[in-house]
Amino acid sequence: MEETPARLAAKPSWLLTQLAVHAHRLASEGFAEAGARGYHYRILVALHEFGVASQAELGRRVSMDRSDVVAAINELAEQGFVERTPDPDDRRRNLVTLTEAGDRQLRRLEQALDTVQDVLLEPLAAEDRRALTQLLTRLLTHHQA
């Protein structure tokens, strides 16, 4: 294995980037085993937590580009995980609803993602995992403001 220059390895931005690449790969593999992608999980979890939403609302809530939202919802609808209906208040808009099958798929994806978290954070004790999550949340909240 190649050595990383010490000054580079000491930079949190570099460490976060390297870990993000690894985390993305693990999550993608976990979702693929469940027949899904990360975009599917984002949409399903938002529908479960917030209820019926327009495609635009979903995109904003889960930080997805409009075209990616449409493609993911098309895939989820084809599999029966969501239903799309015209908004009675604005026919130009679609409302997306989580189905029972979608709720079951969400539970499968949650299990896959829990396994990914365990693999990713394996060397950390439970207390360290909570602390890391709190620190990352604080950083993200600060930079999203």
Side-chain angles (χ1 to χ4, degrees):
M1 188 169 192
E2 294 291 321
E3 286 186 58
T4 302
R7 289 187 304 216
L8 181 59
K11 303 293 184 203
S13 58
W14 187 86
L15 294 168
L16 286 168
T17 301
Q18 297 307 303
L19 194 55
V21 168
H22 185 63
H24 185 267
R25 183 183 55 77
L26 289 172
S28 294
E29 290 170 359
F31 289 140
E33 288 177 16
R37 296 182 305 123
Y39 283 165
H40 298 157
Y41 174 74
R42 289 185 194 186
I43 289 170
L44 293 175
V45 79
L47 289 171
H48 185 267
E49 186 167 331
F50 299 112
V52 177
S54 71
Q55 294 176 171
E57 288 171 317
L58 286 170
R60 285 190 298 274
R61 284 187 175 139
V62 299
S63 300
M64 283 174 61
D65 181 77
R66 169 179 244 156
S67 63
D68 292 329
V69 170
V70 171
I73 289 173
N74 286 342
E75 293 165 357
L76 291 167
E78 287 172 11
Q79 296 172 309
F81 297 145
V82 300
E83 289 179 348
R84 199 175 13 207
T85 56
D87 184 337
D89 297 328
D90 183 351
R91 292 278 184 196
R92 297 169 296 171
R93 224 168 44 159
N94 285 316
L95 295 178
V96 182
T97 306
L98 183 66
T99 65
E100 287 184 31
D103 193 54
R104 288 190 299 275
Q105 176 68 346
L106 177 57
R107 286 194 300 271
R108 284 189 291 273
L109 297 180
E110 288 282 352
Q111 289 174 342
L113 200 51
D114 287 347
T115 299
V116 166
Q117 304 311 300
D118 287 339
V119 170
L120 181 66
L121 303 174
E122 182 179 0
L124 301 180
E127 184 178 322
D128 292 335
R129 291 177 184 201
R130 283 189 295 276
L132 176 63
T133 301
Q134 289 172 346
L135 290 170
L136 291 172
T137 299
R138 188 182 324 159
L139 284 169
L140 185 58
T141 299
H142 171 79
H143 290 289
Q144 286 180 333

